Amino acid sequence: MTGLDGLPLVTLVTFLPALGALVVAFMPTSRPNLARSVALGFALAAWVVSLVMLAGFDAGGAAFQFTEAVPWITAFGIAYAVGVDGLAMVLVVLTTTLTWISILASFGPITHRVKEYMVSFLILEVGMIGVFIARDLFLFYIFWELVLVPMYLIIGIWGGKNRIYATIKFVLYTLVGSLLMLVAILATAFTYQASTGSWDGAFAVAKLTAAGATSLFGGTFGFLAFGAFFLAFAIKVPMFPFHTWLPDAHVEAPTAGSVILAGVLLKLGGYGFIRFALPLFPEAAHTWAPLIIVLSLIGIIYGAIVALVQPDLKKLVAYSSVSHMGFVTLGIFVFQEQGMQGAILQMVNHGLITGALFLLVGVIYERTHDRTIAKMGGLAGLTPVYAAVFGFFVLASAGLPGLSGFVGEFLALLGTFAVNPWAAGIAALVMILGAAYLLWMFQRIFFGEPSAFLLGLRSHLSDMTPTEILTLAPLAALVVVFGLFPGILLDLIRGSVTSALAAVAAGSAITVEPLIPAVGLGIVVAAVIVQLANVVLGGGGAGEEQPGEAAPEGAS
């Protein structure tokens, strides 16, 4: 079906931001406020369309809804085929929500090349939504690569002092994985064509998934093709040890760029695993699963420990993403219902909570142009509303029961325990470490007497503005609603979870020997020792931006 009353809602929600980018591009540079308002208007329009789709979505159905299919490159069976199931629907709404919030949050900080910034952000939204709605592998890859360009510009033009280094690192990491995935996509299509004698459906996800269920993409070919998909998605998540681009990108990106990077871009990897890697290569998924589980455990613990020693507030939140996203890949690859549910809920909840934390980091940075934790003591006495809001999201990120951060991690641990108690026990350690680095950070920033640094800036330390509160209020409301009523999300994704698990049900059980996680923890300890040595001996390492040295957002 095409949508309510015959409207192509999926196409509309995808390309409304592109229309907005075109309109903003032709606006005069001398009217930045108009560019801001128009960009926000189109982002809000896309958000409203996504809510209309959500209202008309049949949560009880497992099939894709609001589907559209138009032949595109007929010689190779490529089509403009789009649609949403529960998983895609949830992530589309998350994307449209965070996009208008990010654009609104950029009104004050971005003062240079405003028109170009808004165009980049709207094009970025097109790419992100396109990844979630694509039902053709070729179309998926186009949207996947489209995301790279605007994010490169957002970090490279409006980022901090070392923005060029961060953007090049981001692009190189992403391109390596993406190009290998392109090779795997083409090889999969050629294999399908050789088997059927026709290019019809050679890039159609539904037909390739059916072929994957017959072991057409098994054996050595499936193992290698899954490896290519795995690398592309693992870099995007990012999984340990492919995570090193993320802290640099977060630190150098403007606040809104960090919000979208954490809130949506990291979810492209988790979505790719569930939507493409598992159903296309179920045999290979089982072969790779023990390694991925171990890497997930390493990432969970490593990210938490490294966050514990970060002197820069934004980098601490960035490393927390490495830890929290480890629960996503862990929940996916235990191939268990509660684990898969937890992985998807963790994707959504991480987007809400960590996105809010980056917004809050941006609030204090706009007033102090510094993010050094050691300089921020006693902030609660000067900005009590800011302290209360920050404390709420810190507790949500730490997994306080009743808030959404608890539910996803709990289900992922529950699913893991059913498969391997050793792995679940190791992952559960992060609940302690997460509370440690988050609460210690909160105590150092907000409690005690105001620091000399803050007292020197007292005239600039106004509390939160109505616009800043408006950007955070929807996220706080959703954190409470999904924490108290997780069934809202679970009902939407039930069909997606069932389909994903059905694709890999024929494989053997996943087993991870206790020695393997133990070796993984040894690697974590060694990596942390290296990190501590760099901090103690090198002051963060040559060439790294020290906290507080970043150029103000909006500077070129």
Side-chain angles (χ1 to χ4, degrees):
M1 65 184 184
T2 58
L4 298 176
D5 298 325
L7 289 175
L9 292 181
V10 173
T11 294
L12 195 60
V13 75
T14 304
F15 292 104
L16 256 179
L19 177 60
L22 187 64
V23 172
V24 173
F26 283 98
M27 287 183 173
T29 305
S30 59
R31 302 189 65 184
N33 287 336
L34 181 60
R36 293 185 180 102
S37 300
V38 171
L40 178 61
F42 274 95
L44 284 170
W47 178 60
V48 170
V49 174
S50 71
L51 294 181
V52 171
M53 289 174 56
L54 181 61
F57 186 82
D58 179 12
F64 278 78
Q65 302 174 38
F66 307 112
T67 55
E68 305 168 40
V70 179
W72 184 12
I73 307 175
T74 55
F76 294 99
I78 298 172
Y80 172 77
V82 296
V84 292
D85 64 347
L87 172 60
M89 186 73 259
V90 167
L91 294 176
V92 166
V93 175
L94 176 68
T95 302
T96 58
T97 302
L98 288 177
T99 299
W100 76 257
I101 289 174
S102 298
I103 290 176
L104 180 60
S106 302
F107 275 26
I110 302 301
T111 58
H112 179 71
R113 296 183 179 178
V114 174
K115 183 178 76 171
E116 291 84 351
Y117 177 88
M118 295 301 167
V119 169
S120 298
F121 230 97
L122 290 170
I123 295 298
L124 178 61
E125 184 178 16
V126 174
M128 294 185 298
I129 295 175
V131 168
F132 298 135
I133 55 92
R135 298 292 297 141
D136 180 280
L137 270 183
F138 185 82
L139 182 66
F140 156 74
Y141 186 79
I142 295 296
F143 283 122
W144 178 272
E145 290 295 87
L146 177 62
V147 168
L148 181 63
V149 178
M151 182 53 73
Y152 170 83
L153 295 175
I154 289 169
I155 300 174
I157 297 176
W158 296 277
K161 180 181 177 181
N162 292 326
R163 59 190 180 275
I164 303 302
Y165 167 77
T167 52
I168 291 174
K169 193 173 184 180
F170 166 68
V171 169
L172 288 179
Y173 266 77
T174 305
L175 277 181
V176 168
S178 297
L179 292 176
L180 288 176
M181 182 174 67
L182 176 61
V183 173
I185 289 173
L186 295 176
T188 302
F190 272 99
T191 301
Y192 180 88
Q193 188 273 337
S195 173
T196 62
S198 171
W199 282 104
D200 183 34
F203 290 90
V205 175
K207 292 188 177 182
L208 293 176
T209 298
T214 65
S215 300
L216 176 62
F217 309 127
T220 303
F221 171 79
F223 180 83
L224 296 176
F226 182 93
F229 275 83
F230 162 75
L231 184 61
F233 299 148
I235 290 172
K236 194 73 80 176
V237 167
M239 289 182 64
F240 179 93
F242 310 108
H243 68 285
T244 57
W245 64 269
L246 181 68
D248 293 300
H250 269 312
V251 168
E252 300 304 328
T255 296
S258 293
V259 172
I260 288 296
L261 189 61
V264 183
L265 259 68
L266 304 190
K267 312 308 177 290
L268 303 185
Y271 177 82
F273 278 127
I274 298 171
R275 177 66 71 236
F276 303 108
L278 296 189
L280 293 181
F281 314 105
E283 293 180 6
H286 278 268
T287 304
W288 281 82
L291 172 64
I292 296 174
I293 290 172
V294 171
L295 291 179
S296 300
L297 293 173
I298 294 174
I300 289 170
I301 307 297
Y302 169 82
I305 294 177
V306 176
L308 190 65
V309 300
Q310 292 305 311
D312 185 303
L313 180 58
K314 201 173 189 184
K315 189 168 281 191
L316 182 150
V317 179
Y319 273 107
S320 76
S321 290
V322 176
S323 179
H324 288 303
M325 289 301 292
F327 282 98
V328 173
T329 49
L330 178 65
I332 292 171
F333 282 92
V334 294
F335 303 146
Q336 204 270 348
E337 183 178 7
Q338 285 79 20
M340 187 72 74
Q341 290 173 334
I344 297 174
L345 262 62
Q346 180 71 352
M347 285 196 286
V348 176
N349 297 329
H350 175 267
L352 299 174
I353 297 169
T354 306
L357 287 175
F358 277 118
L359 285 173
L360 288 163
V361 173
V363 168
I364 193 62
Y365 181 77
E366 283 305 305
R367 289 153 173 78
T368 65
H369 291 295
D370 203 300
R371 296 185 301 263
T372 309
I373 295 174
K375 294 182 179 181
M376 301 290 177
L379 195 56
L382 303 174
T383 56
V385 175
Y386 177 68
V389 176
F390 205 117
F392 172 82
F393 285 105
V394 161
L395 293 174
S397 184
L400 181 71
L403 300 178
S404 64
F406 171 77
V407 183
E409 292 184 359
F410 174 77
L411 286 174
L413 287 173
L414 188 64
T416 304
F417 187 84
V419 174
N420 192 295
W422 283 92
I426 292 173
L429 291 174
V430 83
M431 307 299 286
I432 302 172
L433 294 172
Y437 70 74
L438 287 166
L439 296 179
W440 187 37
M441 173 268 290
F442 188 76
Q443 181 267 326
R444 285 181 290 165
I445 291 177
F446 291 100
F447 296 152
E449 294 297 321
S451 66
F453 172 75
L454 292 181
L455 290 176
L457 296 171
R458 192 160 190 166
S459 60
H460 300 286
L461 288 178
S462 59
D463 215 330
M464 296 183 70
T465 66
T467 299
E468 290 166 343
I469 293 174
L470 179 60
T471 60
L472 289 159
L475 302 181
L478 290 173
V479 166
V480 173
V481 170
F482 293 154
L484 296 176
F485 307 104
I488 296 173
L489 290 175
L490 292 174
D491 288 342
L492 282 171
I493 65 174
R494 182 177 294 112
S496 302
V497 170
T498 301
S499 298
L501 293 176
V504 290
S508 58
I510 302 301
T511 57
V512 180
E513 295 299 327
L515 179 62
I516 299 177
V519 172
L521 285 178
I523 295 173
V524 169
V525 172
V528 171
I529 291 174
V530 171
Q531 285 278 345
L532 290 173
N534 285 336
V535 172
V536 174
L537 301 178
E544 280 193 26
E545 174 194 326
Q546 297 304 309
E549 290 185 358
E553 289 184 354
S556 61

